[in-house]
Amino acid sequence: MKILVLNCGSSSVKYQLIDIDKNYALAKGLVSRIGMSDAVLTHKPHDRPEVKISGEIIDHIVAIEYVISMLLSPNHGVIKDKSEITAVGHRVVHGGEKFPESVLINPEVMAELRNCIELAPLHNPHNIRGINACQKILPNIPQVAVFDTAFHQQMPKYAYIYGLPYILYKKYGIRRYGFHGTSHFYVSKRASELMKKPLKELKIITCHLGNGASMAAVDGGISVDTSMGFTPLEGLLMGTRCGDLDPAVILHIMAREELSLQEANTLLNKHSGMQGISGHSSDMRDIIQEAKEGHANSKLALDMYCYRIKKYIGAYAAAMGGLDVLVFTAGVGENSPLIRAKCCEGLEFLGIDIDEDRNEEAVGMEALISKDKTRVKVLAIPTNEELVIAQETQKVIDVDKFLKEMSKGV
Ligand code: ADP
């Protein structure tokens, strides 16, 4: 069974065609700069070199048409006919409380997804655009929505309600939702497999450190707390997002700088974090390099980044009443021994003790990076959100098929 996984952003479409029986991507790629005359499609079949084409791509429909034609192309393709695609799995950032799990897309679901736009105005409209485009291009193929928020939907209420008038939760759904759910789920499941222990018996902290970054406390396979909140702005310091902040600061800056809501939003989401503090870059590789060269603010940004992660490790160990496994994943977590070591510095009292050589060697691979006989196992695990989306999609269409057969039998 082949499942097309799509992640649609404002001007980009990331895709993978996954062979779900063999658990690997037959092809993957990215369309960027959609809406511009110099859009780029990068396509990589699993067994051939990467190809790049450039030209005008006016919208998501044209972008997905190009993706399908690449998948079918005699030279670069991996399938002979569209009908080989069994289903499409869409990453949808915000499912609110309405969607605690993945769903088959139908007109009612689309209406509910539109209702969720208010919760994630920066992300959901593009996800919906991708679904609409796919329905036009692949009209007879089932489409499934897989939500970033779903894995965190079992958090206890005391972890997700904010200290605001409760009526605001009732009126507007203001609460912690959490994001990166497919990644936190994937790496915690992988950790239990690597540890050869059931997920039910493990207390795990997962650190997803990419451009966006979040942590989760996963107790017995359930996300009991996570650092992102109502939006993906809360929690850790990120590439361009500020993370945790005294809310009064926003009001103060808006008044002093006479900022509009839109300008304040841009300040917090695009000009803060590592970018805002270093004044140079949001890219962790640049920050590390500049810190090494003695740039004071890049060093400060690095210290702040790791200090905040360390604080969350302590908080989540306390929230779960213990800790068995600490996992690092995503761009920074998978590739930076320096950051991993810095986040774990001084945590020996919790049973966290990194082995220097193991940590240095573990770049872009699954590895145990803690010393032998330490109480907490520290792991580096490359994430695979697309595989989770494909597996979820398969699960949803299997259940749908089963229900249809049952109803025929009755
Ligand atoms: P996204 O959230 O866009 O999916 P990624 O998971 O790809 O992001 O992570 C991107 C981040 O990972 C960037 O800040 C990049 O600098 C960082 N990164 C990638 N490789 C390394 C490395 N070797 N050392 C430190 N940071 C790295």
Side-chain angles (χ1 to χ4, degrees), residues 14 180 208-212 239 282-286 288 330-337 339 363 383 385:
K14 269 192 203 163
H180 293 139
H208 176 107
L209 311 178
N211 281 316
S282 62
D283 192 301
M284 186 56 89
R285 286 163 291 200
D286 297 342
I288 291 173
V332 177
E334 292 164 23
N335 296 303
S336 179
I339 300 286
V363 174
T383 194
E385 293 163 282

Side-chain angles (χ1 to χ4, degrees), residues 76-307:
H76 314 297
V78 287
I79 50 172
K80 295 207 162 50
D81 194 273
K82 271 188 203 178
S83 63
E84 286 180 51
I85 303 173
T86 308
V88 183
H90 294 268
R91 175 194 182 204
V92 179
V93 170
H94 214 311
E97 289 188 331
K98 185 74 199 172
F99 297 109
E101 51 194 36
S102 311
V103 284
L104 188 69
I105 295 169
N106 58 30
E108 292 81 56
V109 168
M110 282 309 279
E112 285 295 344
L113 288 180
R114 277 185 222 106
N115 286 340
C116 290
I117 286 182
E118 194 185 301
L119 295 174
L122 298 179
H123 297 92
N124 276 27
H126 315 304
N127 303 153
I128 290 172
R129 208 165 290 145
I131 297 171
N132 284 331
C134 255
Q135 285 176 328
K136 289 206 173 78
I137 299 162
L138 302 166
N140 300 316
I141 294 177
Q143 320 260 337
V144 171
V146 180
F147 302 94
D148 266 30
T149 43
F151 181 54
H152 304 297
Q153 285 304 296
Q154 292 184 64
M155 266 187 288
K157 202 163 189 176
Y158 56 75
Y160 71 70
I161 294 289
Y162 289 120
L164 291 166
Y166 192 75
I167 188 74
L168 295 176
Y169 164 61
K170 294 306 251 181
K171 262 170 111 174
Y172 306 118
I174 296 195
R175 50 160 285 184
R176 175 182 312 286
Y177 288 98
F179 299 86
H180 293 139
T182 47
S183 178
H184 291 295
F185 168 69
Y186 176 80
V187 296
S188 49
K189 190 160 147 276
R190 243 351 253 144
S192 97
E193 288 162 3
L194 293 168
M195 301 282 301
K196 299 188 173 48
K197 264 197 159 178
L199 204 44
K200 277 206 163 330
E201 291 173 17
L202 292 171
K203 294 181 189 298
I204 305 175
I205 295 176
T206 49
C207 309
H208 176 107
L209 311 178
N211 281 316
S214 70
M215 288 172 60
V218 183
D219 194 351
I222 289 173
S223 168
V224 294
D225 206 348
T226 189
S227 59
M228 281 179 170
F230 179 64
T231 74
L233 185 56
E234 193 180 348
L236 305 181
L237 201 67
M238 304 178 221
T240 60
R241 296 177 217 155
C242 59
D244 293 337
L245 187 69
D246 175 350
V249 169
I250 304 160
L251 306 177
H252 186 80
I253 297 173
M254 283 181 79
R256 295 301 295 261
E257 299 264 317
E258 295 179 12
L259 298 185
S260 66
L261 279 176
Q262 186 53 44
E263 286 166 332
N265 199 27
T266 306
L267 172 78
L268 301 172
N269 276 289
K270 305 261 187 227
H271 298 156
S272 298
M274 306 304 277
Q275 170 77 46
I277 294 152
S278 73
H280 286 108
S281 174
S282 62
D283 192 301
M284 186 56 89
R285 286 163 291 200
D286 297 342
I287 303 280
I288 291 173
Q289 187 54 34
E290 286 167 2
K292 277 185 189 152
E293 287 163 8
H295 187 283
N297 273 31
S298 293
K299 172 148 186 347
L300 173 65
L302 211 57
D303 289 343
M304 290 170 64
Y305 183 91
C306 297
Y307 175 66

